[in-house]
């Protein structure tokens, strides 16, 4: 595209500046986790590894991590099944109400989290009479994770087309064999990418979790929020925050490598 | 192939092949039971609850229909202020993110090499997955009185804005920026370069090209991004807690009525406000085709 040099450099400057603003606060948190000063005044006077050691032994944070992992794995498993089924239905068939169904799939994340949160809270407690616990949080997480898997699988199905499946059927394979030998292998990396992103989304979610997780249980984000305003916990909160920043890059990097296109997941 | 032509599995397969409606039904049944029945059911129940009330003495929900909650919501000046503040913050966050995101996305889509493009998408997406809370917390440390902003701005005679509405707008814009960059980037990728060149050949200046060619083509993408920035801001209450100082948003009212005040019906009433606004917004932008960009 022909644009003047000045415009091009201005746009580049905007991009560099924007990325700088995106990464700067995260770097500050990383640096602060080594800040020896407990009030985290800036610039840090000296650095220490003490907080990292203390965080590694913090029982509350470790328990919260375990709860987060359990909820994430279970919600991802459910979302993989339901999201894939919905993706096949919407990508391979044209039917009445198809647009409404696709709207329904994005609704749990298109509506503000607090609405999803209290709607499910109300449904569990007053309508179904189920006590809040890990199970209710998993159900809630699965509800908004479906869309991530759905998006990844739909994108892959769209690129795949149906020719190979038809060829397989023409050569005498039944539906199950075709799925096992043709469809699934082509879908595998999209499923893995969708699953990773769904796990990351569940791991990060806080608003819906606040309303659907039983008392006495904490996921890692809830643990951070509960300890955020306790001054003597600040150093450990910093370390946990730093760990989350580093850990969150892994699933995104892997998902990006696997899906091979710009499927983004999450709310996109 | 081990299956023979008349094996049961083969028969089922053939039967299903002739019945596309049945296949569709089987595929849709589980997701629709989960989302259509459970999730929509929960939403419907929430709106029914909004017309109920709570017994002042026992704290139990009284299942009698009344519009009292809505009357309180509309007549009380406090809730009106909070509603306007929330919508204002959400709109401002949307505008700010769009203005920051557009040039970034433009360079990514139009000037970066394919390899750099992939890296840039990853660079924008990765912080998207860094915990929401960690990012809000990062801004709390940045904005604090002895934090980085104070240290950076002080030499220029400026200071950190501290905690308040401005801090909330900054933090929310930061949080949702990737949600705006990625759809606009996808939209710009689909915009043919030749269109922009043609506009230039016909004598349009860059700004005219932007206004008459680039913006109309990418508008659905901007709207797609705005759905998330707007909706996420409308329902937020945690960023406000962390950097908002004393100002509240609708989410805080909902949260306080569920927790401390134990008044679920009124919380449900307040929650209808962002839902109605969002549904109106979704209905309004339907015609732009933004929903297909999600």
């Amino acid at each position: 595209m022909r644009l003047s040099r000045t415009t091009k450099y201005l746009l580049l400057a905007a991009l560099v500046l924007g990325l700088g603003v995106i990464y700067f606060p995260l770097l500050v948190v990383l640096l602060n986790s080594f800040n020896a000063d407990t009030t985290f005044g800036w610039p840090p006077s000296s650095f220490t590894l003490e907080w990292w050691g203390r965080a590694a032994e913090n029982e509350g944070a470790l328990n919260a991590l375990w709860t987060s992992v359990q909820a994430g794995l279970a919600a991802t498993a459910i979302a993989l099944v339901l999201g894939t089924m919905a993706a096949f239905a919407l990508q391979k068939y044209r039917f009445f109400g198809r647009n409404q169904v696709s709207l329904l799939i994005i609704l749990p994340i298109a509506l503000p989290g607090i609405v999803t949160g209290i709607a499910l809270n109300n449904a569990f407690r007053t309508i179904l009479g189920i006590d809040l616990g890990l199970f209710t949080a998993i159900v809630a997480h699965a509800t908004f994770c479906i869309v991530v898997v759905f998006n990844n699988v739909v994108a892959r199905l769209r690129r795949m087309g149906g020719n190979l499946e038809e060829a397989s059927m023409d050569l005498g394979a039944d539906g199950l064999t075709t799925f096992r030998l043709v469809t699934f292998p082509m879908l595998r990396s999209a499923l893995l990418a969708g699953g990773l992103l769904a796990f990351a989304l569940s791991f990060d979610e806080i608003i819906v979790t606040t309303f659907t997780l039983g008392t006495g249980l904490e996921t890692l984000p809830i643990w951070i929020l509960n300890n955020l305003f306790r001054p003597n916990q600040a150093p450990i909160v910093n370390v946990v925050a730093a760990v989350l920043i580093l850990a969150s890059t892994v699933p995104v990097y892997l998902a990006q490598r696997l899906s091979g296109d710009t499927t983004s997941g999450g709310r996109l | 192939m081990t299956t023979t032509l008349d094996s049961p599995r083969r028969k089922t397969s053939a039967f299903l092949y002739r019945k596309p409606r049945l296949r569709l039904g089987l595929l849709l049944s589980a997701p629709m039971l989960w989302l259509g029945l459970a999730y929509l059911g929960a939403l419907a129940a929430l709106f029914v609850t909004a017309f109920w009330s709570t017994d002042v003495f026992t704290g139990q929900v009284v299942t009698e229909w009344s519009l009292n909650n809505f009357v309180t919501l509309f007549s009380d000046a406090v809730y009106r202020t909070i509603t306007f503040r929330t919508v204002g913050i959400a709109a401002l966050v949307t505008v700010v993110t769009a203005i920051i995101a557009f040039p970034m996305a433009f360079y990514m889509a139009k000037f970066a090499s394919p390899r750099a493009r992939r890296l840039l998408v990853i660079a924008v997406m990765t912080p998207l997955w860094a915990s929401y809370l960690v990012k809000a917390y990062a801004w709390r440390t940045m904005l604090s009185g002895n934090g980085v902003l104070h240290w950076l701005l002080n030499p220029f005679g400026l200071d950190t804005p501290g905690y308040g509405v401005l801090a909330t707008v900054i933090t929310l814009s930061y949080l949702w920026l990737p949600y705006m960059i990625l759809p606009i980037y996808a939209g710009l990728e689909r915009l043919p370069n030749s269109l922009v060149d043609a506009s230039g050949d016909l004598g349009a200046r860059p700004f005219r090209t932007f206004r008459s060619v680039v913006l109309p083509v990418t508008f659905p993408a901007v709207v797609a991004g705005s759905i998330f920035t707007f909706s996420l801001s409308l329902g937020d209450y945690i960023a406000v807690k962390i950097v908002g100082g004393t100002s509240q948003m609708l989410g805080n009212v909902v949260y306080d009525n569920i927790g401390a005040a134990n008044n679920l019906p009124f919380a449900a009433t307040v929650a209808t406000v962002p839902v109605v606004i969002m549904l109106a917004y979704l209905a309004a932008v339907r015609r732009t085709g933004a929903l297909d960009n999600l």
Side-chain angles (χ1 to χ4, degrees):
Chain A
M1 187 186 298
R2 285 163 292 150
L3 270 182
S4 77
R5 232 173 212 196
T6 336
T7 322
K8 192 175 163 178
Y9 285 129
L10 277 178
L11 287 170
L12 181 62
L15 178 66
V16 172
L17 196 69
L19 283 173
V21 172
I22 288 178
Y23 279 92
F24 185 65
L26 301 176
L27 279 177
V28 171
V29 173
L30 282 180
L31 265 179
N32 256 342
S33 70
F34 300 102
N35 192 338
D37 175 17
T38 47
T39 60
F40 303 113
W42 196 265
S45 48
S46 61
F47 295 98
T48 175
L49 279 171
E50 190 196 339
W51 315 134
W52 281 76
R54 294 232 317 246
E57 290 163 5
N58 188 292
E59 213 164 294
L62 292 176
N63 284 339
L65 174 66
W66 176 229
T67 309
S68 284
V69 170
Q70 283 174 293
L73 288 179
T76 303
I78 298 170
L80 275 173
V81 175
L82 295 180
T84 309
M85 289 171 82
F88 270 94
L90 264 71
Q91 187 55 35
K92 305 230 161 191
Y93 301 88
R94 296 287 172 272
F95 56 92
F96 177 75
R98 185 167 166 274
N99 289 333
Q100 283 69 26
V101 171
S102 72
L103 189 65
L104 184 60
I105 291 168
I106 62 161
L107 205 58
I109 50 162
L111 288 183
I114 196 160
V115 175
T116 302
I118 66 167
L120 291 173
N121 174 297
N122 183 35
F124 288 135
R125 289 192 322 167
T126 47
I127 300 177
L128 299 172
I130 305 173
D131 284 332
L132 298 184
L134 185 60
F135 170 75
T136 49
I138 290 171
V139 172
H141 282 207
T143 304
F144 60 73
C145 283
I146 291 175
V147 68
V148 184
V149 176
F150 173 82
N151 278 351
N152 275 274
V153 175
V154 159
R156 180 61 54 88
L157 287 175
R158 205 175 279 157
R159 274 195 307 169
M160 266 164 49
N163 292 346
L164 286 173
E165 281 155 334
E166 275 176 27
S168 162
M169 302 286 247
D170 284 347
L171 291 170
D174 61 30
L176 201 67
T177 310
T178 301
F179 183 80
R180 194 165 54 87
L181 296 177
V182 179
T183 317
F184 183 72
M186 292 202 294
L187 218 55
R188 194 162 37 206
S189 60
L191 285 172
L192 208 51
L196 279 166
L197 294 174
F199 182 81
L201 187 66
S202 155
F203 203 81
D204 183 31
E205 162 61 49
I206 175 154
I207 295 184
V208 177
T209 318
T210 307
F211 292 105
T212 50
L213 190 66
T215 43
L217 284 168
E218 287 176 323
T219 59
L220 215 45
I222 291 186
W223 181 88
I224 296 182
L225 188 64
N226 288 344
N227 287 281
L228 200 57
F229 299 105
R230 293 180 192 157
N232 56 345
Q233 288 283 60
I236 297 177
V237 170
N238 254 324
V239 175
V240 174
V243 171
L244 279 181
I245 291 172
L246 296 175
S248 62
T249 58
V250 178
V252 182
Y253 176 76
L254 288 177
Q256 194 67 30
R257 288 291 303 266
L258 287 165
S259 66
D261 45 33
T262 53
T263 42
S264 45
R267 290 177 162 85
L268 295 173
Chain B
M1 198 60 52
T2 47
T3 45
T4 52
L5 272 175
D6 49 356
S7 78
R9 205 174 100 191
R10 164 119 250 153
K11 273 185 184 158
T12 323
S13 174
F15 175 74
L16 279 174
Y17 189 78
R18 286 190 302 268
K19 297 261 188 294
R21 293 274 131 191
L22 183 63
R23 270 182 295 157
L24 174 64
L26 287 174
L27 279 175
L28 269 180
S29 56
M32 283 306 102
L33 275 177
W34 188 288
L35 289 170
L37 221 63
Y39 183 64
L40 276 190
L43 278 181
L46 182 70
F47 297 130
V48 171
T49 314
F51 294 95
W52 291 346
S53 58
T54 307
D55 189 301
V56 194
F57 297 108
T58 59
Q60 295 291 316
V61 171
V62 182
T63 53
E64 275 170 33
W65 296 85
S66 89
L67 284 169
N68 286 347
N69 288 335
F70 286 95
V71 172
T72 315
L73 180 67
F74 287 116
S75 58
D76 200 323
V78 174
Y79 298 123
R80 235 187 350 249
T81 311
I82 292 178
T83 304
F84 283 131
R85 182 190 293 142
T86 306
V87 175
I89 288 177
L92 197 57
V93 166
T94 303
V95 172
V96 168
T97 47
I99 291 174
I100 299 176
F102 211 100
M104 291 178 74
F106 200 91
Y107 191 90
M108 282 166 69
K110 294 298 170 198
F111 294 116
S113 67
R115 194 184 142 71
R117 212 176 279 179
R118 269 184 70 97
L119 287 174
L120 285 168
V121 169
I122 295 179
V124 169
M125 257 178 60
T126 309
L128 183 67
W129 294 99
S131 165
Y132 162 96
L133 202 61
V134 169
K135 283 185 278 183
Y137 168 69
W139 275 98
R140 187 179 168 85
T141 45
M142 296 261 298
L143 291 159
S144 78
N146 62 355
V148 181
L149 279 187
H150 171 78
W151 177 73
L152 274 177
L153 295 172
N154 211 28
F156 303 99
L158 298 164
D159 205 351
T160 161
Y163 305 139
V165 171
L166 182 59
T168 309
V169 173
I170 294 176
T171 307
L172 290 176
S173 305
Y174 177 79
L175 282 165
W176 316 142
L177 183 61
Y179 291 119
M180 189 59 104
I181 297 179
L182 291 171
I184 296 184
Y185 165 76
L188 282 167
E189 245 192 342
R190 286 193 294 265
L191 167 76
N193 288 351
S194 53
L195 227 56
V196 179
D197 291 338
S199 168
D201 289 344
L202 293 168
R205 288 173 184 283
F207 183 72
R208 180 69 205 266
T209 305
F210 176 76
R211 195 165 55 89
S212 306
V213 179
V214 179
L215 203 56
V217 176
T218 48
F219 188 66
V222 179
V223 174
S226 79
I227 289 173
F228 293 115
T229 59
F230 193 66
S231 164
L232 289 167
S233 310
L234 274 187
D236 193 89
Y237 68 95
I238 290 176
V240 193
K241 262 192 186 174
I242 295 176
V243 298
T246 50
S247 40
Q248 286 203 316
M249 287 173 75
L250 282 171
N252 302 82
V253 180
V254 176
Y255 181 80
D256 292 343
N257 272 290
I258 288 195
N262 192 25
N263 189 345
L264 184 67
F266 189 65
T269 312
V270 179
T272 54
V273 177
V275 174
V276 168
I277 295 175
M278 260 338 278
L279 290 180
Y281 192 68
L282 288 175
V285 300
R286 242 188 121 84
R287 287 179 45 205
T288 64
L291 299 182
D292 305 325
N293 280 299
L294 293 179

